[in-house]
Amino acid sequence: MKKLLPALALFASLIPLAGHTAGYLATKPQALPDLVFGIDEAGYQVSQPRYELETGKSYSLKIVSSGRKEYAVRAPEFFTFIWLRKVEAGGMEIKASALYELEFEEEGEAEIFFVPIKPGTYSISAAGLEHKGAEAQIKVK
């Protein structure tokens, strides 16, 4: 019985930790500045040319179309190296394991919730419009 008491005391001390979210990376995401495509009159420039993120931290990023052009927003390497929690768009939550493209045919927005998992420098851009300025860089440390 004397040997059992220390084990019971240890077990009892762990009970308050049940349901504790320590280690859950997606809680309380840090909201990044919105990435707006088409902030200039021509419809090509982005509002935020650069982001700096850290692996293992939770973020949310609102991607916004000004409606000046059609934007097929792609970030193939970045989308490959994030854990995607969800996408919110059009009044709904989309639970998916990966993203390929966010296509905006008119004004609108989509917010992605994610955790970066691999360091590197990535591009997020409107397909075919990168050379005109519709591109931002994401650096993950």
Side-chain angles (χ1 to χ4, degrees), residues 55-93:
T55 58
K57 290 192 175 183
S58 181
Y59 297 96
S60 66
L61 174 62
K62 191 177 293 182
I63 301 169
V64 181
S65 165
S66 65
R68 290 192 167 92
K69 303 275 184 218
E70 288 187 17
Y71 304 101
V73 178
R74 296 181 182 168
E77 292 161 348
F78 179 69
F79 289 160
T80 297
F81 296 116
I82 63 172
W83 174 73
L84 181 64
R85 182 171 155 230
K86 67 179 175 176
V87 178
E88 292 183 358
M92 61 188 300
E93 268 186 25

PDB file of all heavy atoms in Angstrom, residues 55-93:
ATOM      1  N   THR A  55       7.281  28.222 -38.163  1.00  0.00           N
ATOM      2  CA  THR A  55       6.705  26.883 -38.155  1.00  0.00           C
ATOM      3  C   THR A  55       6.105  26.606 -36.779  1.00  0.00           C
ATOM      4  O   THR A  55       6.565  27.114 -35.764  1.00  0.00           O
ATOM      5  CB  THR A  55       7.757  25.792 -38.467  1.00  0.00           C
ATOM      6  OG1 THR A  55       8.799  25.877 -37.502  1.00  0.00           O
ATOM      7  CG2 THR A  55       8.315  25.931 -39.864  1.00  0.00           C
ATOM      8  N   GLY A  56       5.048  25.814 -36.785  1.00  0.00           N
ATOM      9  CA  GLY A  56       4.438  25.390 -35.535  1.00  0.00           C
ATOM     10  C   GLY A  56       3.533  26.408 -34.874  1.00  0.00           C
ATOM     11  O   GLY A  56       2.998  26.149 -33.805  1.00  0.00           O
ATOM     12  N   LYS A  57       3.332  27.574 -35.465  1.00  0.00           N
ATOM     13  CA  LYS A  57       2.426  28.583 -34.917  1.00  0.00           C
ATOM     14  C   LYS A  57       1.177  28.654 -35.787  1.00  0.00           C
ATOM     15  O   LYS A  57       1.246  28.497 -36.998  1.00  0.00           O
ATOM     16  CB  LYS A  57       3.101  29.952 -34.854  1.00  0.00           C
ATOM     17  CG  LYS A  57       4.190  30.028 -33.814  1.00  0.00           C
ATOM     18  CD  LYS A  57       4.614  31.448 -33.583  1.00  0.00           C
ATOM     19  CE  LYS A  57       5.621  31.502 -32.452  1.00  0.00           C
ATOM     20  NZ  LYS A  57       5.995  32.873 -32.148  1.00  0.00           N
ATOM     21  N   SER A  58       0.064  28.951 -35.158  1.00  0.00           N
ATOM     22  CA  SER A  58      -1.217  29.003 -35.852  1.00  0.00           C
ATOM     23  C   SER A  58      -1.477  30.415 -36.387  1.00  0.00           C
ATOM     24  O   SER A  58      -1.277  31.401 -35.673  1.00  0.00           O
ATOM     25  CB  SER A  58      -2.326  28.595 -34.884  1.00  0.00           C
ATOM     26  OG  SER A  58      -3.568  28.600 -35.520  1.00  0.00           O
ATOM     27  N   TYR A  59      -1.944  30.484 -37.636  1.00  0.00           N
ATOM     28  CA  TYR A  59      -2.222  31.768 -38.281  1.00  0.00           C
ATOM     29  C   TYR A  59      -3.561  31.725 -38.999  1.00  0.00           C
ATOM     30  O   TYR A  59      -4.046  30.657 -39.375  1.00  0.00           O
ATOM     31  CB  TYR A  59      -1.144  32.093 -39.330  1.00  0.00           C
ATOM     32  CG  TYR A  59       0.233  32.263 -38.761  1.00  0.00           C
ATOM     33  CD1 TYR A  59       1.137  31.205 -38.756  1.00  0.00           C
ATOM     34  CD2 TYR A  59       0.643  33.483 -38.227  1.00  0.00           C
ATOM     35  CE1 TYR A  59       2.418  31.352 -38.238  1.00  0.00           C
ATOM     36  CE2 TYR A  59       1.925  33.637 -37.710  1.00  0.00           C
ATOM     37  CZ  TYR A  59       2.798  32.573 -37.721  1.00  0.00           C
ATOM     38  OH  TYR A  59       4.064  32.720 -37.205  1.00  0.00           O
ATOM     39  N   SER A  60      -4.113  32.912 -39.225  1.00  0.00           N
ATOM     40  CA  SER A  60      -5.244  33.062 -40.139  1.00  0.00           C
ATOM     41  C   SER A  60      -4.880  34.167 -41.122  1.00  0.00           C
ATOM     42  O   SER A  60      -4.251  35.156 -40.749  1.00  0.00           O
ATOM     43  CB  SER A  60      -6.540  33.389 -39.392  1.00  0.00           C
ATOM     44  OG  SER A  60      -6.470  34.660 -38.789  1.00  0.00           O
ATOM     45  N   LEU A  61      -5.241  33.954 -42.372  1.00  0.00           N
ATOM     46  CA  LEU A  61      -4.941  34.920 -43.428  1.00  0.00           C
ATOM     47  C   LEU A  61      -6.189  35.117 -44.278  1.00  0.00           C
ATOM     48  O   LEU A  61      -6.705  34.160 -44.861  1.00  0.00           O
ATOM     49  CB  LEU A  61      -3.791  34.433 -44.316  1.00  0.00           C
ATOM     50  CG  LEU A  61      -3.466  35.286 -45.547  1.00  0.00           C
ATOM     51  CD1 LEU A  61      -3.029  36.704 -45.147  1.00  0.00           C
ATOM     52  CD2 LEU A  61      -2.393  34.611 -46.388  1.00  0.00           C
ATOM     53  N   LYS A  62      -6.657  36.358 -44.315  1.00  0.00           N
ATOM     54  CA  LYS A  62      -7.800  36.691 -45.163  1.00  0.00           C
ATOM     55  C   LYS A  62      -7.261  37.135 -46.519  1.00  0.00           C
ATOM     56  O   LYS A  62      -6.466  38.075 -46.607  1.00  0.00           O
ATOM     57  CB  LYS A  62      -8.634  37.797 -44.533  1.00  0.00           C
ATOM     58  CG  LYS A  62      -9.971  38.000 -45.221  1.00  0.00           C
ATOM     59  CD  LYS A  62     -10.814  39.057 -44.528  1.00  0.00           C
ATOM     60  CE  LYS A  62     -11.233  38.567 -43.167  1.00  0.00           C
ATOM     61  NZ  LYS A  62     -12.104  39.528 -42.460  1.00  0.00           N
ATOM     62  N   ILE A  63      -7.693  36.432 -47.565  1.00  0.00           N
ATOM     63  CA  ILE A  63      -7.307  36.749 -48.938  1.00  0.00           C
ATOM     64  C   ILE A  63      -8.515  37.408 -49.587  1.00  0.00           C
ATOM     65  O   ILE A  63      -9.613  36.843 -49.580  1.00  0.00           O
ATOM     66  CB  ILE A  63      -6.867  35.481 -49.689  1.00  0.00           C
ATOM     67  CG1 ILE A  63      -5.674  34.845 -48.945  1.00  0.00           C
ATOM     68  CG2 ILE A  63      -6.504  35.809 -51.131  1.00  0.00           C
ATOM     69  CD1 ILE A  63      -5.304  33.462 -49.429  1.00  0.00           C
ATOM     70  N   VAL A  64      -8.296  38.603 -50.121  1.00  0.00           N
ATOM     71  CA  VAL A  64      -9.401  39.433 -50.585  1.00  0.00           C
ATOM     72  C   VAL A  64      -9.190  39.811 -52.049  1.00  0.00           C
ATOM     73  O   VAL A  64      -8.092  40.193 -52.452  1.00  0.00           O
ATOM     74  CB  VAL A  64      -9.508  40.725 -49.736  1.00  0.00           C
ATOM     75  CG1 VAL A  64     -10.662  41.591 -50.189  1.00  0.00           C
ATOM     76  CG2 VAL A  64      -9.631  40.386 -48.254  1.00  0.00           C
ATOM     77  N   SER A  65     -10.263  39.726 -52.820  1.00  0.00           N
ATOM     78  CA  SER A  65     -10.262  40.198 -54.202  1.00  0.00           C
ATOM     79  C   SER A  65     -10.950  41.550 -54.255  1.00  0.00           C
ATOM     80  O   SER A  65     -12.073  41.693 -53.754  1.00  0.00           O
ATOM     81  CB  SER A  65     -11.016  39.215 -55.099  1.00  0.00           C
ATOM     82  OG  SER A  65     -11.310  39.821 -56.347  1.00  0.00           O
ATOM     83  N   SER A  66     -10.300  42.517 -54.877  1.00  0.00           N
ATOM     84  CA  SER A  66     -10.900  43.840 -55.051  1.00  0.00           C
ATOM     85  C   SER A  66     -11.995  43.820 -56.116  1.00  0.00           C
ATOM     86  O   SER A  66     -12.785  44.749 -56.197  1.00  0.00           O
ATOM     87  CB  SER A  66      -9.824  44.843 -55.469  1.00  0.00           C
ATOM     88  OG  SER A  66      -9.312  44.487 -56.759  1.00  0.00           O
ATOM     89  N   GLY A  67     -12.007  42.772 -56.929  1.00  0.00           N
ATOM     90  CA  GLY A  67     -12.993  42.683 -57.995  1.00  0.00           C
ATOM     91  C   GLY A  67     -12.564  43.377 -59.282  1.00  0.00           C
ATOM     92  O   GLY A  67     -13.298  43.367 -60.267  1.00  0.00           O
ATOM     93  N   ARG A  68     -11.371  43.966 -59.296  1.00  0.00           N
ATOM     94  CA  ARG A  68     -10.901  44.665 -60.507  1.00  0.00           C
ATOM     95  C   ARG A  68     -10.510  43.695 -61.619  1.00  0.00           C
ATOM     96  O   ARG A  68     -10.528  44.047 -62.794  1.00  0.00           O
ATOM     97  CB  ARG A  68      -9.731  45.574 -60.159  1.00  0.00           C
ATOM     98  CG  ARG A  68     -10.150  46.772 -59.330  1.00  0.00           C
ATOM     99  CD  ARG A  68      -9.010  47.790 -59.255  1.00  0.00           C
ATOM    100  NE  ARG A  68      -9.501  49.042 -58.744  1.00  0.00           N
ATOM    101  CZ  ARG A  68      -9.490  49.383 -57.466  1.00  0.00           C
ATOM    102  NH1 ARG A  68      -9.025  48.536 -56.566  1.00  0.00           N
ATOM    103  NH2 ARG A  68      -9.959  50.540 -57.078  1.00  0.00           N
ATOM    104  N   LYS A  69     -10.107  42.504 -61.238  1.00  0.00           N
ATOM    105  CA  LYS A  69      -9.718  41.446 -62.185  1.00  0.00           C
ATOM    106  C   LYS A  69     -10.255  40.130 -61.637  1.00  0.00           C
ATOM    107  O   LYS A  69     -10.719  40.059 -60.506  1.00  0.00           O
ATOM    108  CB  LYS A  69      -8.183  41.331 -62.291  1.00  0.00           C
ATOM    109  CG  LYS A  69      -7.447  42.578 -62.688  1.00  0.00           C
ATOM    110  CD  LYS A  69      -7.421  42.710 -64.172  1.00  0.00           C
ATOM    111  CE  LYS A  69      -6.592  43.937 -64.547  1.00  0.00           C
ATOM    112  NZ  LYS A  69      -7.118  44.651 -65.656  1.00  0.00           N
ATOM    113  N   GLU A  70     -10.141  39.083 -62.436  1.00  0.00           N
ATOM    114  CA  GLU A  70     -10.353  37.733 -61.927  1.00  0.00           C
ATOM    115  C   GLU A  70      -9.006  37.259 -61.397  1.00  0.00           C
ATOM    116  O   GLU A  70      -7.984  37.420 -62.065  1.00  0.00           O
ATOM    117  CB  GLU A  70     -10.860  36.800 -63.020  1.00  0.00           C
ATOM    118  CG  GLU A  70     -12.284  37.077 -63.417  1.00  0.00           C
ATOM    119  CD  GLU A  70     -12.834  36.045 -64.390  1.00  0.00           C
ATOM    120  OE1 GLU A  70     -12.255  34.948 -64.537  1.00  0.00           O
ATOM    121  OE2 GLU A  70     -13.859  36.352 -65.015  1.00  0.00           O
ATOM    122  N   TYR A  71      -8.995  36.705 -60.183  1.00  0.00           N
ATOM    123  CA  TYR A  71      -7.753  36.261 -59.561  1.00  0.00           C
ATOM    124  C   TYR A  71      -7.853  34.779 -59.222  1.00  0.00           C
ATOM    125  O   TYR A  71      -8.744  34.373 -58.477  1.00  0.00           O
ATOM    126  CB  TYR A  71      -7.465  37.053 -58.278  1.00  0.00           C
ATOM    127  CG  TYR A  71      -7.414  38.550 -58.482  1.00  0.00           C
ATOM    128  CD1 TYR A  71      -8.499  39.349 -58.148  1.00  0.00           C
ATOM    129  CD2 TYR A  71      -6.281  39.154 -59.017  1.00  0.00           C
ATOM    130  CE1 TYR A  71      -8.459  40.723 -58.338  1.00  0.00           C
ATOM    131  CE2 TYR A  71      -6.235  40.530 -59.204  1.00  0.00           C
ATOM    132  CZ  TYR A  71      -7.326  41.304 -58.865  1.00  0.00           C
ATOM    133  OH  TYR A  71      -7.289  42.662 -59.056  1.00  0.00           O
ATOM    134  N   ALA A  72      -6.940  34.004 -59.778  1.00  0.00           N
ATOM    135  CA  ALA A  72      -6.795  32.603 -59.407  1.00  0.00           C
ATOM    136  C   ALA A  72      -5.582  32.543 -58.486  1.00  0.00           C
ATOM    137  O   ALA A  72      -4.437  32.475 -58.945  1.00  0.00           O
ATOM    138  CB  ALA A  72      -6.596  31.736 -60.643  1.00  0.00           C
ATOM    139  N   VAL A  73      -5.828  32.619 -57.193  1.00  0.00           N
ATOM    140  CA  VAL A  73      -4.753  32.728 -56.207  1.00  0.00           C
ATOM    141  C   VAL A  73      -4.163  31.345 -55.946  1.00  0.00           C
ATOM    142  O   VAL A  73      -4.868  30.426 -55.534  1.00  0.00           O
ATOM    143  CB  VAL A  73      -5.266  33.367 -54.902  1.00  0.00           C
ATOM    144  CG1 VAL A  73      -4.159  33.438 -53.864  1.00  0.00           C
ATOM    145  CG2 VAL A  73      -5.825  34.764 -55.187  1.00  0.00           C
ATOM    146  N   ARG A  74      -2.863  31.262 -56.191  1.00  0.00           N
ATOM    147  CA  ARG A  74      -2.142  29.998 -56.036  1.00  0.00           C
ATOM    148  C   ARG A  74      -0.893  30.195 -55.187  1.00  0.00           C
ATOM    149  O   ARG A  74      -0.264  31.243 -55.239  1.00  0.00           O
ATOM    150  CB  ARG A  74      -1.718  29.443 -57.394  1.00  0.00           C
ATOM    151  CG  ARG A  74      -2.874  29.072 -58.277  1.00  0.00           C
ATOM    152  CD  ARG A  74      -2.399  28.506 -59.576  1.00  0.00           C
ATOM    153  NE  ARG A  74      -3.526  28.200 -60.444  1.00  0.00           N
ATOM    154  CZ  ARG A  74      -3.406  27.908 -61.721  1.00  0.00           C
ATOM    155  NH1 ARG A  74      -2.211  27.880 -62.279  1.00  0.00           N
ATOM    156  NH2 ARG A  74      -4.474  27.634 -62.432  1.00  0.00           N
ATOM    157  N   ALA A  75      -0.561  29.157 -54.463  1.00  0.00           N
ATOM    158  CA  ALA A  75       0.676  29.109 -53.680  1.00  0.00           C
ATOM    159  C   ALA A  75       1.030  27.635 -53.529  1.00  0.00           C
ATOM    160  O   ALA A  75       0.979  27.094 -52.434  1.00  0.00           O
ATOM    161  CB  ALA A  75       0.480  29.786 -52.331  1.00  0.00           C
ATOM    162  N   PRO A  76       1.356  26.968 -54.641  1.00  0.00           N
ATOM    163  CA  PRO A  76       1.486  25.512 -54.606  1.00  0.00           C
ATOM    164  C   PRO A  76       2.478  24.978 -53.579  1.00  0.00           C
ATOM    165  O   PRO A  76       2.159  24.033 -52.855  1.00  0.00           O
ATOM    166  CB  PRO A  76       1.899  25.139 -56.026  1.00  0.00           C
ATOM    167  CG  PRO A  76       2.311  26.401 -56.688  1.00  0.00           C
ATOM    168  CD  PRO A  76       1.658  27.524 -55.949  1.00  0.00           C
ATOM    169  N   GLU A  77       3.645  25.573 -53.477  1.00  0.00           N
ATOM    170  CA  GLU A  77       4.627  25.085 -52.509  1.00  0.00           C
ATOM    171  C   GLU A  77       4.205  25.413 -51.082  1.00  0.00           C
ATOM    172  O   GLU A  77       4.299  24.579 -50.185  1.00  0.00           O
ATOM    173  CB  GLU A  77       6.007  25.645 -52.824  1.00  0.00           C
ATOM    174  CG  GLU A  77       6.557  25.077 -54.123  1.00  0.00           C
ATOM    175  CD  GLU A  77       7.666  25.920 -54.708  1.00  0.00           C
ATOM    176  OE1 GLU A  77       7.875  27.054 -54.242  1.00  0.00           O
ATOM    177  OE2 GLU A  77       8.313  25.435 -55.649  1.00  0.00           O
ATOM    178  N   PHE A  78       3.708  26.623 -50.875  1.00  0.00           N
ATOM    179  CA  PHE A  78       3.252  27.008 -49.543  1.00  0.00           C
ATOM    180  C   PHE A  78       2.081  26.128 -49.110  1.00  0.00           C
ATOM    181  O   PHE A  78       2.073  25.598 -47.991  1.00  0.00           O
ATOM    182  CB  PHE A  78       2.854  28.484 -49.519  1.00  0.00           C
ATOM    183  CG  PHE A  78       2.342  28.944 -48.182  1.00  0.00           C
ATOM    184  CD1 PHE A  78       3.199  29.033 -47.095  1.00  0.00           C
ATOM    185  CD2 PHE A  78       1.012  29.292 -48.013  1.00  0.00           C
ATOM    186  CE1 PHE A  78       2.735  29.453 -45.856  1.00  0.00           C
ATOM    187  CE2 PHE A  78       0.548  29.717 -46.782  1.00  0.00           C
ATOM    188  CZ  PHE A  78       1.405  29.802 -45.706  1.00  0.00           C
ATOM    189  N   PHE A  79       1.089  25.958 -49.977  1.00  0.00           N
ATOM    190  CA  PHE A  79      -0.075  25.133 -49.641  1.00  0.00           C
ATOM    191  C   PHE A  79       0.332  23.685 -49.346  1.00  0.00           C
ATOM    192  O   PHE A  79      -0.324  23.003 -48.569  1.00  0.00           O
ATOM    193  CB  PHE A  79      -1.113  25.168 -50.750  1.00  0.00           C
ATOM    194  CG  PHE A  79      -1.846  26.486 -50.895  1.00  0.00           C
ATOM    195  CD1 PHE A  79      -2.489  26.801 -52.078  1.00  0.00           C
ATOM    196  CD2 PHE A  79      -1.904  27.415 -49.865  1.00  0.00           C
ATOM    197  CE1 PHE A  79      -3.182  28.001 -52.234  1.00  0.00           C
ATOM    198  CE2 PHE A  79      -2.584  28.626 -50.005  1.00  0.00           C
ATOM    199  CZ  PHE A  79      -3.222  28.914 -51.190  1.00  0.00           C
ATOM    200  N   THR A  80       1.416  23.216 -49.938  1.00  0.00           N
ATOM    201  CA  THR A  80       1.899  21.858 -49.679  1.00  0.00           C
ATOM    202  C   THR A  80       2.483  21.734 -48.275  1.00  0.00           C
ATOM    203  O   THR A  80       2.357  20.691 -47.642  1.00  0.00           O
ATOM    204  CB  THR A  80       2.972  21.466 -50.719  1.00  0.00           C
ATOM    205  OG1 THR A  80       2.361  21.467 -52.003  1.00  0.00           O
ATOM    206  CG2 THR A  80       3.560  20.097 -50.438  1.00  0.00           C
ATOM    207  N   PHE A  81       3.098  22.813 -47.785  1.00  0.00           N
ATOM    208  CA  PHE A  81       3.821  22.743 -46.519  1.00  0.00           C
ATOM    209  C   PHE A  81       3.131  23.478 -45.371  1.00  0.00           C
ATOM    210  O   PHE A  81       3.791  24.078 -44.516  1.00  0.00           O
ATOM    211  CB  PHE A  81       5.258  23.224 -46.698  1.00  0.00           C
ATOM    212  CG  PHE A  81       6.038  22.335 -47.622  1.00  0.00           C
ATOM    213  CD1 PHE A  81       6.522  22.824 -48.825  1.00  0.00           C
ATOM    214  CD2 PHE A  81       6.249  21.003 -47.313  1.00  0.00           C
ATOM    215  CE1 PHE A  81       7.224  22.004 -49.696  1.00  0.00           C
ATOM    216  CE2 PHE A  81       6.944  20.169 -48.172  1.00  0.00           C
ATOM    217  CZ  PHE A  81       7.432  20.669 -49.361  1.00  0.00           C
ATOM    218  N   ILE A  82       1.801  23.432 -45.360  1.00  0.00           N
ATOM    219  CA  ILE A  82       1.030  23.907 -44.212  1.00  0.00           C
ATOM    220  C   ILE A  82       0.076  22.799 -43.790  1.00  0.00           C
ATOM    221  O   ILE A  82      -0.286  21.939 -44.594  1.00  0.00           O
ATOM    222  CB  ILE A  82       0.219  25.195 -44.510  1.00  0.00           C
ATOM    223  CG1 ILE A  82      -0.831  24.957 -45.606  1.00  0.00           C
ATOM    224  CG2 ILE A  82       1.136  26.351 -44.832  1.00  0.00           C
ATOM    225  CD1 ILE A  82      -1.798  26.122 -45.812  1.00  0.00           C
ATOM    226  N   TRP A  83      -0.298  22.830 -42.520  1.00  0.00           N
ATOM    227  CA  TRP A  83      -1.409  22.006 -42.071  1.00  0.00           C
ATOM    228  C   TRP A  83      -2.608  22.936 -42.127  1.00  0.00           C
ATOM    229  O   TRP A  83      -2.640  23.970 -41.458  1.00  0.00           O
ATOM    230  CB  TRP A  83      -1.190  21.483 -40.653  1.00  0.00           C
ATOM    231  CG  TRP A  83      -2.411  20.756 -40.162  1.00  0.00           C
ATOM    232  CD1 TRP A  83      -2.846  19.530 -40.560  1.00  0.00           C
ATOM    233  CD2 TRP A  83      -3.372  21.245 -39.224  1.00  0.00           C
ATOM    234  NE1 TRP A  83      -4.019  19.223 -39.919  1.00  0.00           N
ATOM    235  CE2 TRP A  83      -4.367  20.261 -39.089  1.00  0.00           C
ATOM    236  CE3 TRP A  83      -3.496  22.417 -38.484  1.00  0.00           C
ATOM    237  CZ2 TRP A  83      -5.464  20.402 -38.247  1.00  0.00           C
ATOM    238  CZ3 TRP A  83      -4.583  22.566 -37.645  1.00  0.00           C
ATOM    239  CH2 TRP A  83      -5.546  21.570 -37.532  1.00  0.00           C
ATOM    240  N   LEU A  84      -3.552  22.611 -42.982  1.00  0.00           N
ATOM    241  CA  LEU A  84      -4.735  23.438 -43.196  1.00  0.00           C
ATOM    242  C   LEU A  84      -5.824  23.008 -42.235  1.00  0.00           C
ATOM    243  O   LEU A  84      -6.244  21.851 -42.246  1.00  0.00           O
ATOM    244  CB  LEU A  84      -5.209  23.286 -44.645  1.00  0.00           C
ATOM    245  CG  LEU A  84      -6.426  24.100 -45.046  1.00  0.00           C
ATOM    246  CD1 LEU A  84      -6.136  25.595 -44.969  1.00  0.00           C
ATOM    247  CD2 LEU A  84      -6.863  23.716 -46.459  1.00  0.00           C
ATOM    248  N   ARG A  85      -6.277  23.939 -41.404  1.00  0.00           N
ATOM    249  CA  ARG A  85      -7.350  23.634 -40.458  1.00  0.00           C
ATOM    250  C   ARG A  85      -8.706  23.819 -41.104  1.00  0.00           C
ATOM    251  O   ARG A  85      -9.580  22.975 -40.980  1.00  0.00           O
ATOM    252  CB  ARG A  85      -7.221  24.522 -39.230  1.00  0.00           C
ATOM    253  CG  ARG A  85      -8.254  24.228 -38.185  1.00  0.00           C
ATOM    254  CD  ARG A  85      -7.967  24.981 -36.892  1.00  0.00           C
ATOM    255  NE  ARG A  85      -9.208  25.142 -36.173  1.00  0.00           N
ATOM    256  CZ  ARG A  85      -9.654  26.282 -35.684  1.00  0.00           C
ATOM    257  NH1 ARG A  85      -8.953  27.383 -35.825  1.00  0.00           N
ATOM    258  NH2 ARG A  85     -10.786  26.334 -35.060  1.00  0.00           N
ATOM    259  N   LYS A  86      -8.892  24.966 -41.798  1.00  0.00           N
ATOM    260  CA  LYS A  86     -10.171  25.235 -42.456  1.00  0.00           C
ATOM    261  C   LYS A  86     -10.042  26.460 -43.339  1.00  0.00           C
ATOM    262  O   LYS A  86      -9.075  27.219 -43.261  1.00  0.00           O
ATOM    263  CB  LYS A  86     -11.290  25.451 -41.445  1.00  0.00           C
ATOM    264  CG  LYS A  86     -11.133  26.718 -40.605  1.00  0.00           C
ATOM    265  CD  LYS A  86     -12.283  26.883 -39.632  1.00  0.00           C
ATOM    266  CE  LYS A  86     -12.054  28.078 -38.713  1.00  0.00           C
ATOM    267  NZ  LYS A  86     -13.180  28.333 -37.828  1.00  0.00           N
ATOM    268  N   VAL A  87     -11.061  26.643 -44.183  1.00  0.00           N
ATOM    269  CA  VAL A  87     -11.213  27.840 -45.006  1.00  0.00           C
ATOM    270  C   VAL A  87     -12.611  28.369 -44.729  1.00  0.00           C
ATOM    271  O   VAL A  87     -13.574  27.592 -44.712  1.00  0.00           O
ATOM    272  CB  VAL A  87     -11.076  27.525 -46.513  1.00  0.00           C
ATOM    273  CG1 VAL A  87     -11.276  28.785 -47.348  1.00  0.00           C
ATOM    274  CG2 VAL A  87      -9.732  26.884 -46.817  1.00  0.00           C
ATOM    275  N   GLU A  88     -12.733  29.666 -44.507  1.00  0.00           N
ATOM    276  CA  GLU A  88     -14.043  30.293 -44.341  1.00  0.00           C
ATOM    277  C   GLU A  88     -14.281  31.197 -45.542  1.00  0.00           C
ATOM    278  O   GLU A  88     -13.466  32.073 -45.832  1.00  0.00           O
ATOM    279  CB  GLU A  88     -14.116  31.090 -43.042  1.00  0.00           C
ATOM    280  CG  GLU A  88     -14.088  30.227 -41.807  1.00  0.00           C
ATOM    281  CD  GLU A  88     -14.223  31.011 -40.507  1.00  0.00           C
ATOM    282  OE1 GLU A  88     -14.301  32.265 -40.549  1.00  0.00           O
ATOM    283  OE2 GLU A  88     -14.242  30.366 -39.447  1.00  0.00           O
ATOM    284  N   ALA A  89     -15.395  30.960 -46.224  1.00  0.00           N
ATOM    285  CA  ALA A  89     -15.737  31.766 -47.402  1.00  0.00           C
ATOM    286  C   ALA A  89     -17.234  31.665 -47.654  1.00  0.00           C
ATOM    287  O   ALA A  89     -17.825  30.597 -47.465  1.00  0.00           O
ATOM    288  CB  ALA A  89     -14.971  31.278 -48.625  1.00  0.00           C
ATOM    289  N   GLY A  90     -17.817  32.762 -48.078  1.00  0.00           N
ATOM    290  CA  GLY A  90     -19.228  32.752 -48.440  1.00  0.00           C
ATOM    291  C   GLY A  90     -20.151  32.313 -47.326  1.00  0.00           C
ATOM    292  O   GLY A  90     -21.155  31.648 -47.580  1.00  0.00           O
ATOM    293  N   GLY A  91     -19.841  32.663 -46.090  1.00  0.00           N
ATOM    294  CA  GLY A  91     -20.695  32.318 -44.972  1.00  0.00           C
ATOM    295  C   GLY A  91     -20.626  30.857 -44.554  1.00  0.00           C
ATOM    296  O   GLY A  91     -21.511  30.369 -43.855  1.00  0.00           O
ATOM    297  N   MET A  92     -19.592  30.160 -44.983  1.00  0.00           N
ATOM    298  CA  MET A  92     -19.465  28.759 -44.594  1.00  0.00           C
ATOM    299  C   MET A  92     -18.031  28.407 -44.251  1.00  0.00           C
ATOM    300  O   MET A  92     -17.099  29.115 -44.619  1.00  0.00           O
ATOM    301  CB  MET A  92     -19.979  27.842 -45.711  1.00  0.00           C
ATOM    302  CG  MET A  92     -19.220  27.968 -47.016  1.00  0.00           C
ATOM    303  SD  MET A  92     -19.943  27.073 -48.405  1.00  0.00           S
ATOM    304  CE  MET A  92     -19.931  25.418 -47.856  1.00  0.00           C
ATOM    305  N   GLU A  93     -17.875  27.310 -43.498  1.00  0.00           N
ATOM    306  CA  GLU A  93     -16.564  26.758 -43.163  1.00  0.00           C
ATOM    307  C   GLU A  93     -16.315  25.556 -44.047  1.00  0.00           C
ATOM    308  O   GLU A  93     -17.172  24.687 -44.169  1.00  0.00           O
ATOM    309  CB  GLU A  93     -16.540  26.282 -41.704  1.00  0.00           C
ATOM    310  CG  GLU A  93     -16.072  27.284 -40.738  1.00  0.00           C
ATOM    311  CD  GLU A  93     -15.922  26.707 -39.333  1.00  0.00           C
ATOM    312  OE1 GLU A  93     -15.722  25.491 -39.161  1.00  0.00           O
ATOM    313  OE2 GLU A  93     -16.014  27.511 -38.398  1.00  0.00           O
TER     314      GLU A  93
END
